[in-house]
Amino acid sequence: MSLARPLVMGILNVTPDSFSDGGNFDTCSKAVAHAEALVNAGADIIDIGGESTRPGATLVSVEDEIARVVPVISALKSLNVPLSIDTRRPGVMHAALEAGIDLINDIAALEEQGALEAAASAQVAVCLMHKRGEPQSMQTAPEYDDVVGEVTRYLAHRRDIAEAAGISRDRILLDPGFGFGKNLDHNIALFKAMHQMIVELDRPFLIGVSRKSMLGQITGRPVAERVIASAAAALLAAQAGASVVRVHDVRETVDALKILAALQ
Ligand code: 7PJ
């Protein structure tokens, strides 16, 4: 995958609505239709997630997560677009690799027992993200002495551990993890330090701020009205040197990045 221009990763949540559950045909076909729309809108990568990691989300079993994502991965192989799995569970990683995934996007930076080995067992890319605490409780008063320094050191450490486990440098992406155990001041400090962190860590960055509460806190808008704020933030991330932006609103982000490429 070339990172010569910033890539747009489209978010595909495979979480069943209300009463249907994982492996459900309706859930799968809706997800596939949404993925096709993301690709038509210009997505370079599709990020498939079967576990909600939003603040306060409830846990799903490994079996349910696999039952949700694997049929979707299999159905999307024919789209010929790189596929990413958003998971922190080694069991899900193995199943997704088997189904033909190209990138493991782990909000726990391969910390779970067996995750490093799972990722190293295949020639795929990995994204190592910083978070503090667990999604269920991480937004209750996160504290740092020096958020930029602490996140930078953590990512350097996980980068080195991944390399030592046999994942080659050119397959490693890093992510400061906006909103994962960070308050608005922390998120702003990290965003402003992004360029410096990319230079210091010497790895491509993947940035996910799409529709997140930090944008709601800045604009005062509810989640359904954060499209412009999200595209603006994706544009600024790309300008700061991010290699991949993870977004819900692909068409709008692609337009914003076209403007950046043409007018910068
Ligand atoms: C991120 C993610 C992110 C990476 C989620 C949401 C929460 N993976 N998965 N970075 N966020 N790498 O989209 O609001 O920021 S789930």
Side-chain angles (χ1 to χ4, degrees):
M1 214 181 290
S2 165
L3 299 177
R5 63 167 175 87
L7 300 180
V8 175
M9 170 184 266
I11 300 170
L12 184 67
N13 287 317
V14 193
T15 39
D17 3 286
S18 60
F19 301 109
S20 60
D21 202 61
N24 180 286
F25 176 75
D26 208 42
T27 305
C28 181
S29 57
K30 273 188 195 149
V32 170
H34 188 56
E36 284 167 356
L38 294 174
V39 171
N40 290 334
D44 300 294
I45 307 168
I46 301 294
D47 187 41
I48 304 161
E51 180 203 16
S52 178
T53 47
R54 287 184 176 285
T58 52
L59 291 170
V60 304
S61 71
V62 173
E63 292 70 29
D64 280 349
E65 199 180 325
I66 291 173
R68 286 176 189 179
V69 298
V70 165
V72 176
I73 296 168
S74 304
L76 294 183
K77 285 305 288 176
S78 61
L79 285 182
N80 281 321
V81 63
L83 301 177
S84 160
I85 179 79
D86 186 346
T87 191
R88 43 192 173 153
R89 290 156 153 177
V92 180
M93 291 173 192
H94 281 296
L97 288 168
E98 191 92 356
I101 213 83
D102 303 284
L103 191 160
I104 294 172
N105 173 28
D106 184 359
I107 63 153
L110 304 177
E111 281 203 54
E112 221 161 273
Q113 182 91 43
L116 268 173
E117 294 75 8
S121 73
Q123 299 287 78
V124 294
V126 299
C127 177
L128 308 173
M129 196 195 81
H130 173 276
K131 69 170 169 59
R132 172 151 305 171
E134 289 304 310
Q136 289 69 37
S137 57
M138 66 191 178
Q139 287 310 102
T140 48
E143 275 184 48
Y144 299 82
D145 290 325
D146 163 20
V147 68
V148 172
E150 287 169 56
V151 172
T152 302
R153 282 191 292 280
Y154 174 83
L155 291 176
H157 180 60
R158 296 309 300 172
R159 172 199 65 191
D160 294 346
I161 284 182
E163 262 195 79
I167 301 167
S168 63
R169 289 175 78 76
D170 60 351
R171 294 180 183 276
I172 299 173
L173 291 144
L174 302 176
D175 181 344
F178 287 96
F180 284 85
K182 287 126 189 151
N183 65 26
L184 180 60
D185 289 343
H186 299 140
N187 288 319
I188 290 174
L190 286 167
F191 205 102
K192 290 183 174 176
M194 192 186 302
H195 180 71
Q196 168 209 322
M197 290 172 75
I198 294 170
V199 171
E200 195 169 326
L201 289 163
D202 193 26
R203 299 288 89 213
F205 266 37
L206 186 157
I207 295 298
V209 287
S210 184
R211 298 184 187 173
K212 283 188 179 172
S213 69
M214 63 182 280
L215 303 181
Q217 288 171 287
I218 295 168
T219 60
R221 299 207 181 272
V223 65
E225 296 172 19
R226 294 178 192 160
V227 178
I228 293 174
S230 298
L235 177 79
L236 289 172
Q239 195 165 41
S243 296
V244 183
V245 287
R246 180 182 178 278
V247 305
H248 301 87
D249 305 294
V250 170
R251 191 171 57 90
E252 292 82 354
T253 307
V254 167
D255 276 5
L257 295 181
K258 279 183 184 165
I259 297 303
L260 180 67
L263 301 186
Q264 191 179 33

